[in-house]
Amino acid sequence: MGKKIVIGGIDIDVPWRRLDQAGLVLEFVPRQVAVPLAQGSGKPAEAVVEVGQEVRLGQLIGEATEKSAARAHASVSGTVERIGDTPTAGGEKKTCVWIRNDYKNTTADPIERQDDGEGAPSERIIDMVKKAGVIGMGGAMFPSGIKLKVERGSIDWCLLNGAKCEPLVESDSVLMVTATERVIRGAALIRQATGARQVAFCIEEDKSAAIETLTKAVGATPDVSVIRLPHHYPMGGEKQLILYVTGREVPEGCLPSDIGVVVFNVGTATAIADAVDAGKALTHRLCTVCGDVVRPAVLRVPIGSLAEEVLEFCGGASSAYGKVIMGGPMMGKALARLDVPLHKGANSVIVVAPERDRATLPEHPCIRCDRCSEVCPMRLMPQLLDRAQRRDDMAACRRLKATSCINCGCCTYICPSRIPLARNITAASSTVKKMKESGDDGK
């Protein structure tokens, strides 16, 4: 079954195929992809293919050069057309491998496993996860192989984060209903790698289908539970989730593993299951396309698909493009242009009509209402941080814990003066971190 659409002025026949019995996910097949070589928090991978080379789906195209980098793989089969700087969601240019899709879906050989006799089972799992280029798919994009490497016996809780990371984004809730067994298998592998004593699938109470499906599938498995979370943003935040479920608070400057907890997004869990069981690289993800768009949908998209092609597949804007956001409405990036690639953490593309774009309204002086402090989940004082950032007082920003901000956007959302508090605090946090790295105490 197919559908003819127009992309770049060219008529293209693409599959209009539903990937699950419930009809919740549509397959998106792009004309081309621009796979970013910088996918994680570290240095970009190094290209191991050349322009003009034929590549297969899942083939290694970027090798990680340091521990915190992540491998990159071809998300379609076809021809490498160019390798070079490409505008990305953050506005900066990054090296991408452009592949013209040949629509043949020729797949690469499965990722080679370690010999069964080499290393502990946890080491073999971690090795496969690294080779598959799996990173956090909830937005942080931290390499999962590093996150899995913890001291055996130190982890009490493994939390599978199925909470809606932001309003409107349905990718994870749909995944839990349509790929239940893979989510559970991924959780089991994470538990095996980390030695966690308990596993909990954490889902907001409004996602009744996901709760019911996972509860039934988990059954009476020892030390595995499904936990209902309040439908309250930002419940999907790592630190907020840990506090609610375990009662433990992650100290400033520490990691969850320091207090006996690991947290993995449910999408990451499925990618881990695919890597370990089938030798599949991370090449696709679910992406919610919504807002002021003609046909909102949850799509399975190849990594590196261009935002403009994804939107055209869904019929484009229902009125006009005021703003297009990659990621959620609270923490996502507003795109300066539409020909930017979706990375591994791109869980949604949201269209905002011009009349709904609050950011176009003028900013007014702070009225000292303190609403921003009341809603801050990290118990910071956004109004004071904003003032310190505006006067370039980084010593004050450090004292006020700018680096503890999780950029949830609650302060900006609630501000009656429309002050871009989250943006300014994030800028202050970035500056303070750079000062710490350079040895400057900011005093």
Side-chain angles (χ1 to χ4, degrees), residues 54-95:
E54 297 290 325
V55 295
R56 294 172 292 170
L57 171 62
Q59 180 177 331
L60 180 68
I61 60 174
E63 181 61 270
T65 55
E66 64 169 33
K67 185 172 69 171
S68 61
R71 279 179 153 194
H73 298 80
S75 55
V76 297
S77 63
T79 306
V80 177
E81 291 202 319
R82 80 179 169 91
I83 303 171
D85 288 347
T86 302
T88 59
E92 69 276 18
K93 289 187 176 182
K94 295 183 179 179
T95 303

Side-chain angles (χ1 to χ4, degrees), residues 104 123 201 265 304 319 358-359 386 391 437:
K104 295 179 181 178
E123 292 175 355
F201 295 91
N265 174 262
S319 56
R358 187 172 180 264
D386 175 70
R391 63 175 184 266
E437 291 170 359

Side-chain angles (χ1 to χ4, degrees), residues 110-347:
I111 297 169
E112 186 177 347
R113 304 171 185 271
Q114 283 186 355
D115 291 337
D116 290 341
E118 293 184 8
S122 60
E123 292 175 355
R124 294 199 292 272
I125 292 171
I126 293 170
D127 178 67
M128 289 297 289
V129 168
K130 288 180 177 178
K131 287 179 178 177
V134 180
I135 62 177
M137 297 176 70
M141 297 204 299
F142 189 76
S144 299
I146 298 176
K147 200 170 181 179
L148 287 170
K149 202 169 184 63
V150 297
E151 182 182 348
R152 298 290 296 180
S154 66
I155 304 300
D156 300 317
W157 285 92
C158 170
L159 305 183
L160 276 298
N161 192 350
K164 185 190 291 185
C165 54
E166 293 196 50
L168 304 181
V169 183
E170 299 293 340
S171 305
D172 288 344
S173 59
V174 168
L175 181 69
M176 287 184 285
V177 173
T178 59
T180 311
E181 295 303 322
R182 286 167 56 220
V183 172
I184 293 173
R185 173 58 178 161
L189 290 166
I190 293 168
R191 185 180 190 180
Q192 184 178 355
T194 61
R197 297 177 180 87
Q198 298 185 72
V199 173
F201 295 91
C202 308
I203 311 170
E204 285 180 297
E205 58 190 359
D206 65 319
K207 300 303 173 191
S208 56
I211 292 172
E212 181 181 345
T213 302
L214 271 168
T215 301
K216 183 178 180 180
V218 167
T221 306
D223 299 317
V224 178
S225 58
V226 176
I227 296 178
R228 287 177 177 263
L229 304 174
H231 180 39
H232 181 76
Y233 178 79
M235 184 52 69
E238 185 176 69
K239 293 181 179 180
Q240 288 68 39
L241 181 65
I242 292 171
L243 181 61
Y244 181 83
V245 175
T246 71
R248 303 177 185 182
E249 191 163 7
V250 182
E252 183 183 11
C254 294
L255 297 172
S257 58
D258 295 327
I259 60 168
V261 183
V262 290
V263 181
F264 285 83
N265 174 262
V266 291
T268 310
T270 62
I272 289 173
D274 290 342
V276 176
D277 291 342
K280 288 184 178 180
L282 175 53
T283 60
H284 290 68
R285 68 154 300 131
L286 294 193
C287 178
T288 304
V289 183
C290 62
D292 296 306
V293 65
V294 174
R295 290 189 300 271
V298 175
L299 306 179
R300 181 177 179 265
V301 300
I303 305 301
S305 298
L306 302 184
E308 62 180 351
E309 290 194 19
V310 171
L311 290 172
E312 288 176 5
F313 182 79
C314 289
S318 53
S319 56
Y321 286 112
K323 178 183 290 183
V324 176
I325 301 170
M326 188 179 295
M330 302 293 282
M331 300 171 66
K333 300 282 189 182
L335 304 182
R337 49 195 294 172
L338 295 182
D339 57 342
V340 300
L342 275 64
H343 48 67
K344 293 178 182 178
N347 54 15

